[in-house]
Amino acid sequence: MILNPILSGGGGSGAQTVVGTCTLYDAFGKGQSVPIYQGFPPLDLLAIFNTIYDVEQKNAETAEYIGWAALESGDYVFYRGVKDGDSFQEKMV
């Protein structure tokens, strides 16, 4: 997976441990379950959304926007500090 260096803290063969799920809602209200990964450091829990749209917090008080990346495998939006059960909303510009 092309995102392995991000999830393992920049190198090595860090395990992409799934520690929960959050939900990403599209503009029509349809939800999609997204895994939450244990990041680096271990308490930095990451959600990686594969979307071309901006993503905003819907019910995710502790989540912090990190940034986005356009990679070979698609466009991604990154949040850290995500908790199991948090929800996010795609924001069409």
Side-chain angles (χ1 to χ4, degrees):
M1 181 177 178
I2 197 164
L3 298 174
N4 188 49
I6 296 167
L7 295 175
S8 64
S13 59
Q16 297 172 0
T17 305
V18 175
V19 294
T21 58
C22 59
T23 305
L24 177 63
Y25 292 95
D26 65 16
F28 305 104
K30 182 178 178 196
Q32 169 186 324
S33 183
V34 176
I36 300 171
Y37 297 99
Q38 181 173 313
F40 183 85
L43 295 178
D44 195 5
L45 304 180
L46 299 172
I48 302 169
F49 303 106
N50 184 354
T51 177
I52 60 171
Y53 302 108
D54 288 340
V55 174
E56 59 187 16
Q57 296 152 291
K58 185 173 181 179
N59 178 23
E61 292 82 23
T62 62
E64 178 186 351
Y65 173 77
I66 298 174
W68 67 275
L71 305 173
E72 289 179 18
S73 55
D75 294 337
Y76 297 90
V77 176
F78 302 91
Y79 271 87
R80 66 179 174 199
V82 180
K83 290 194 257 179
D84 192 45
D86 281 355
S87 59
F88 299 81
Q89 176 74 50
E90 285 184 342
K91 181 180 175 187
M92 297 186 188
V93 183

